Amino acid sequence: MTGRSRGPRTAGEVTLLLSSDTPIEGRKMSFVNDLTITRDGRKIYFTDSSSKWQRRDYLLLVMEGTDDGRLLEYDTETKEVKVLLDQLRFPNGVQLSPAEDFILVAETTMARIRRFYVSGLMKGGADLFVENLPGFPDNIRPSSSGGYWVCMATIRSTPGFSVLDFLSERPSIKRMIFKLFSQEMVMKFLPWYSLVLELSDSGAFWRSLHDPDGQAAIYVSEVHEHDRHLYLGSFKAPFLGRLSLQSV
């Protein structure tokens, strides 16, 4: 049984908060992805990337481009779950703002980040935080400058040829590719170019960090800033990377 769990670090016990077997507004969760928690611990906001595909099938989700992803809210006191945003295309990383008035959600296959307001005059509304990103965003984390770090799972070649952009409007070719090749084989056609962006609190581009050949990190999916260093995770590489921000 899978779902959102929690447990004290020292107790060795895990409490299941929400089972993926439980339908939420008529649909079960299949690909629970990222989460962000309010400071008081009451609300947990998380993404379910697809109600059809599971984590191991992420490339099929990318290629199919389905809009069955959701942003959800779990109340730890009432145990209630609400759907905040629906019909998202591969919702991935999610991050509360420092003031906890909105949530950022990476919509990976659309190369954009959505913003959903959870308090204030705009409560319940949503808009685009940034779009037409140079890569396909994965997780989002706060930066010490007051903005956000966004890691690109892979880039879009601009200028140049982007496999994913090319296939996005050609579903028949995508279906043929996955009949002929495995997911691992398809991954070999994706660039190893690693890219991390720092965005302002309004979505403006502040700076970018590049590893064109993927020599230090490939397929960066997680970025965390601590003590003037960035810690980089990958959904493929079996290690963590550390980068000194004083050296860039």
Side-chain angles (χ1 to χ4, degrees):
M1 183 178 292
T2 59
R4 286 297 176 202
S5 305
R6 70 177 177 186
R9 292 183 179 180
T10 57
E13 297 180 357
V14 175
T15 301
L16 182 66
L17 298 180
L18 180 63
S19 171
S20 57
D21 292 331
T22 303
I24 300 171
E25 296 189 11
R27 286 157 50 195
K28 293 183 179 180
M29 300 180 296
S30 182
F31 190 167
V32 177
N33 201 318
D34 193 26
L35 61 81
T36 185
I37 307 173
T38 55
R39 280 187 291 271
D40 62 9
R42 175 167 179 174
K43 298 289 184 68
I44 302 175
Y45 302 100
F46 64 99
T47 48
D48 180 28
S49 296
S50 174
S51 58
K52 175 182 179 181
W53 300 108
Q54 297 183 6
R55 169 67 178 82
R56 62 177 177 268
D57 302 315
Y58 67 92
L59 263 185
L60 297 176
L61 172 57
V62 170
M63 289 299 185
E64 191 173 77
T66 51
D67 61 349
D68 61 342
R70 298 180 290 179
L71 171 67
L72 303 106
E73 173 193 280
Y74 177 78
D75 190 312
T76 59
E77 291 188 5
T78 66
K79 315 301 181 186
E80 294 179 340
V81 187
K82 293 193 299 185
V83 176
L84 302 181
L85 284 176
D86 201 352
Q87 295 183 313
L88 299 176
R89 296 182 185 274
F90 203 157
N92 201 328
V94 60
Q95 180 62 51
L96 262 171
S97 68
E100 299 192 347
D101 55 341
F102 63 80
I103 308 165
L104 297 180
V105 185
E107 211 172 355
T108 298
T109 52
M110 297 300 290
R112 67 188 182 190
I113 297 175
R114 301 279 293 273
R115 175 169 49 191
F116 181 85
Y117 295 89
V118 292
S119 67
L121 295 176
M122 295 286 289
K123 183 178 180 180
D127 59 17
L128 280 177
F129 184 69
V130 63
E131 61 181 333
N132 197 26
L133 289 165
F136 297 93
D138 203 309
N139 284 316
I140 309 167
R141 297 294 178 256
S143 75
S144 60
S145 302
Y148 301 93
W149 293 108
V150 182
C151 44
M152 301 291 129
T154 187
I155 65 161
R156 301 163 64 201
S157 300
T158 306
F161 177 73
S162 170
V163 174
L164 293 179
D165 280 355
F166 173 78
L167 293 174
S168 64
E169 299 178 356
R170 296 167 175 83
S172 59
I173 297 179
K174 287 192 290 187
R175 287 193 294 269
M176 181 180 67
I177 287 174
F178 276 98
K179 286 181 180 179
L180 297 175
F181 304 105
S182 66
Q183 292 190 61
E184 289 300 318
M185 180 62 70
V186 173
M187 283 294 297
K188 294 181 179 180
F189 292 96
L190 300 181
W192 280 26
Y193 198 119
S194 295
L195 174 62
V196 175
L197 303 178
E198 185 178 13
L199 305 179
S200 73
D201 58 358
S202 62
F205 288 84
W206 270 352
R207 60 173 160 172
S208 57
L209 307 175
H210 301 253
D211 182 2
D213 301 316
Q215 295 184 358
I218 59 171
Y219 305 129
V220 178
S221 58
E222 174 66 37
V223 57
H224 176 75
E225 182 179 348
H226 176 69
D227 194 22
R228 298 188 296 278
H229 287 81
L230 282 186
Y231 292 84
L232 306 173
S234 167
F235 65 89
K236 291 291 288 183
F239 58 83
L240 292 176
R242 189 177 79 158
L243 174 67
S244 171
L245 289 174
Q246 294 176 310
S247 65
V248 296

